[in-house]
């Protein structure tokens, strides 16, 4: 019986699809991701099942779309008995280990199929008592960094202000994930049982905080400006307007600030690429490289000023399309490019097929990426869904006080704030319920999505086919609260408050050791 492969799952947070040099970006430097592309297979039409952190990761680990997980935002993951792919791998004899950001909810320290985790999550630990479970923060505390209150960057008002990390490169959160991954791989080189390692980086999620000297790797004056069509406002959805407000980015457009954002964002990715190279090198040095399935991807993208938008949560490619590269001799090799649409829900079936096992609690919605590559499957579409219903920034942007209540989970309330997407090789269709508006893009003729073709009579048959496929997909999954007699159900349209100070982000993620009291006379009024 052939030896089952190890699995190295390299994962980033908020990395756009177009940020790998080998796949066409002429500015960014990613020599180690380029190597994976040259030795493996790049899936160039990969999409997230939900363009936000928790929901995307939830769909990935269960291999299910949000209509089945019922996780549509940074909200609660399932707490029933269904298996993750890590559960299935562990049951099949794999040693499963997680390093870095998992973003599990409601318990951020849950294992969900991992034998063990080394925790690095955004924000603080909540208390000194909890510090024992926050591995990276404990590492910083033991190294004498008690003066740093926000080791992942200053958020709130500074969320989208590029900023050099307060930590040196050797202790940066990205390096820590690289170091711990290398330690795990070296430890496993003498073990007989196969392993699954999730190496998950918080970056390039904002704040964009590369360490010195990486923050000078790219100079803003040499960065390309984001794509902003003349009629870009016609492309915006309610989600875009909420996020621009929430993140202090809707009161003007500064070219130099945006180019600095791009420079620091690229620097974060290049610093991750450096860690990827270190990890792959140790696989090679320990003789494990060619018996390890390496898969690199991200949970969703980032607008970076495109369409004068920022953040995620949108179905535009800048937010919903992700990089996805796989390498394993005999399975994913040869420097191939595959433009069939794929999804993060395909990752679970891919890993399980390579390991010769399966989840027992449910049938995943995805398919093995090997079947997509070899065209064994005739699947034409992948899908995505997000709802702002349970997100406090949604209420705040409308000028309401957010108070979680039971009806936030009502299907009709979820549907009223949902966006739904269907993608094929040629076209992309999505519908925004808060706007009651359709969007349709020609992926070949307009890859930057500068013109919404919805309403153009010449493409109506294509739009109808994608809309029907999306409605049928949702109906099969029981996600029908937003559907009325075979069409989209009408909900009240939503607007962001005209007050520019309404709905701004307040997110003070401090370390548990931070002393935040000011002297008398300097505190809050």
């Amino acid at each position: 019986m052939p030896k089952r492969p190890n699995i190295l799952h390299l994962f980033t947070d908020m990395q756009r699809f177009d940020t790998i040099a080998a796949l066409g970006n002429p500015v960014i430097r990613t020599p180690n991701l380029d190597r994976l592309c040259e030795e493996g297979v790049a899936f160039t039409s990969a999409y997230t099942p939900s363009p936000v952190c928790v929901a995307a990761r939830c769909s990935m680990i269960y291999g299910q779309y949000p209509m089945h997980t019922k996780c549509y935002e940074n909200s609660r993951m399932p707490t029933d008995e269904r298996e993750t792919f890590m559960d299935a791998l562990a049951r099949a004899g794999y040693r499963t280990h997680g390093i870095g950001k998992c973003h599990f909810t409601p318990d951020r320290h849950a294992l969900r199929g991992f034998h063990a985790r080394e925790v690095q999550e955004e924000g603080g630990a909540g208390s000194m008592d909890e510090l024992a479970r926050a591995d990276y923060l404990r590492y910083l505390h033991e190294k004498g960094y008690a003066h740093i209150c926000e080791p992942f960057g200053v958020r709130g008002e500074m969320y989208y202000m590029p900023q050099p990390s307060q930590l040196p490169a050797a202790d940066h959160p990205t390096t820590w994930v690289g170091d711990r991954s290398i330690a795990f791989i070296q430890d496993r080189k003498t073990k007989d049982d196969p392993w699954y390692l999730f190496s998950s980086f918080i970056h390039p999620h904002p704040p964009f905080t590369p360490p010195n000297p990486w923050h000078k790797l790219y100079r803003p004056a040499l960065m390309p400006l984001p794509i902003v069509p003349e009629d870009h406002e016609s492309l915006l959805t309610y989600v875009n307007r909420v996020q621009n407000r929430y993140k202090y980015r809707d009161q003007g457009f500064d070219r130099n600030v945006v180019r600095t954002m791009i420079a620091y964002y690229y620097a974060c990715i290049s610093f991750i690429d450096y860690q990827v190279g270190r990890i792959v090198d140790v696989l090679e040095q320990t003789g494990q490289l060619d018996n390890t399935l390496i898969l690199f991807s991200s949970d969703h993208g980032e607008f970076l000023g495109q369409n004068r938008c920022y953040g995620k949560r949108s179905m535009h490619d800048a937010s919903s399309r992700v990089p996805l590269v796989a390498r394993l001799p005999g399975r994913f090799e040869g420097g191939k490019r595959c433009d069939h649409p794929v999804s993060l829900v395909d990752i679970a079936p891919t890993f399980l097929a390579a390991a010769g096992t399966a989840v027992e609690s449910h049938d995943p919605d995805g398919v093995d990426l090997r079947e997509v590559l070899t065209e064994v499957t005739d699947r034409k579409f992948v899908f995505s869904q997000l709802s702002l219903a349970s997100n406090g920034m949604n209420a705040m942007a409308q000028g309401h006080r957010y108070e979680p209540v039971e009806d936030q989970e009502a299907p009709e309330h979820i549907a009223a704030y949902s966006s739904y997407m269907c993608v094929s090789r040629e076209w992309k269709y999505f519908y925004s319920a808060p706007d009651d508006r359709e969007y349709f893009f020609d992926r070949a003729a307009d890859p930057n999505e500068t013109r919404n073709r919805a309403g153009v009579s010449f493409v109506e048959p294509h739009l109808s086919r994608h809309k029907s496929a999306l409605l049928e997909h949702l109906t099969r999954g029981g996600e029908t609260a937003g559907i009325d007699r075979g069409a989209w159900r009408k909900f009240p349209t939503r607007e962001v408050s005209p007050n520019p100070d309404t709905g701004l982000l307040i997110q003070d993620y401090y370390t548990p050791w931070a002393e935040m009291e000011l002297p008398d006379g300097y505190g809050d009024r």
Side-chain angles (χ1 to χ4, degrees), residues 262-504:
I262 295 170
Y264 277 50
Y265 179 83
Y266 279 15
C268 289
I269 292 171
S270 288
F271 194 47
I272 291 168
D273 180 84
Y274 175 67
Q275 308 305 325
V276 169
R278 295 176 62 220
I279 295 168
V280 172
D281 283 349
V282 79
L283 278 176
E284 199 161 26
Q285 293 160 9
T286 58
Q288 300 178 80
L289 177 61
D290 286 340
N291 190 47
T292 299
L293 168 55
I294 303 174
L295 189 143
F296 174 88
S297 193
S298 190
D299 52 359
H300 51 77
E302 158 65 59
F303 270 96
L304 279 185
Q306 186 168 328
N307 297 348
R308 296 200 175 167
C309 291
Y310 304 84
K312 50 199 172 188
R313 291 184 172 90
S314 168
M315 297 303 173
H316 294 91
D317 265 14
S319 166
S320 65
R321 191 171 165 193
V322 295
L324 200 162
V325 183
R327 180 197 186 277
L328 179 64
R331 195 170 182 86
F332 299 106
E333 63 181 356
K336 298 187 178 84
R337 306 289 183 266
C338 178
D339 67 352
H340 289 282
V342 298
S343 169
L344 297 184
V345 299
D346 298 329
I347 289 178
T350 301
F351 289 163
L352 298 176
T357 189
V359 293
E360 296 180 348
S361 60
H362 62 275
D363 293 324
D365 294 323
V367 299
D368 177 4
L369 289 168
R370 173 69 182 170
E371 294 185 357
V372 178
L373 177 64
T374 56
E375 300 186 341
V376 170
T377 177
D378 61 355
R379 185 182 66 181
K380 298 294 191 295
F381 308 104
V382 294
F383 305 95
S384 190
Q385 181 183 357
L386 176 137
S387 175
L388 279 177
S390 61
N391 193 304
M393 73 174 184
N394 171 51
M396 290 188 294
Q398 295 180 68
H400 308 311
R401 187 178 187 85
Y402 177 64
E403 296 179 357
V405 293
E406 288 185 8
D407 66 1
Q408 299 288 343
E409 302 301 322
E412 293 77 12
H413 186 70
I414 290 169
Y417 288 97
S418 279
S419 302
Y420 310 88
M421 182 177 74
C422 172
V423 184
S424 68
R425 290 178 76 177
E426 300 85 10
W427 302 92
K428 180 165 79 174
Y429 170 87
F430 73 85
Y431 174 74
S432 172
D435 300 285
D436 186 24
R437 190 170 176 206
E438 296 178 313
Y439 297 80
F440 194 55
F441 296 104
D442 185 333
R443 298 191 61 216
D446 184 22
N448 294 316
E449 300 182 339
T450 63
R451 303 292 296 178
N452 180 12
R453 307 299 171 94
V456 177
S457 59
F458 302 110
V459 302
E460 176 59 30
H462 301 296
L463 186 150
S464 295
R465 181 167 66 95
H466 287 71
K467 179 178 180 178
S468 295
L470 178 54
L471 290 168
E472 290 170 8
H473 162 78
L474 295 169
T475 301
R476 285 195 306 271
E479 188 77 20
T480 57
I483 301 172
D484 182 17
R485 290 174 289 185
W488 296 118
R489 180 178 176 180
K490 304 296 184 183
F491 295 100
T493 56
R494 310 291 175 173
E495 295 293 339
V496 173
S497 169
N499 181 350
D501 292 335
T502 296
L504 298 175

Side-chain angles (χ1 to χ4, degrees), residues 80-135:
D80 54 23
E81 298 302 313
R82 79 183 78 189
E83 286 188 323
T84 66
F85 71 74
M86 299 92 76
D87 283 313
L89 289 173
R91 181 165 37 78
Y94 274 71
R95 180 68 185 179
T96 57
H97 193 71
I99 299 173
K101 179 177 177 177
C102 288
H103 220 346
F104 291 158
T105 60
D107 178 4
R108 70 190 311 198
H109 298 288
L111 292 177
R112 290 188 180 266
F114 287 118
H115 285 109
R117 286 180 57 195
E118 296 177 69
V119 175
Q120 181 190 103
E121 300 284 348
E122 298 166 75
S127 68
M128 288 299 289
D129 290 339
E130 194 183 350
L131 190 62
R133 305 174 71 191
D135 299 274

Side-chain angles (χ1 to χ4, degrees), residues 161-191:
M161 288 292 104
Q163 49 191 279
S165 176
Q166 298 176 71
L167 292 158
D171 297 317
H172 192 274
T174 295
T175 303
W176 187 85
V177 173
D179 287 347
R180 300 311 306 151
S181 298
I182 288 169
F184 175 85
I185 291 168
Q186 288 175 330
D187 178 68
R188 300 305 303 176
K189 66 183 178 183
T190 58
K191 307 293 195 301

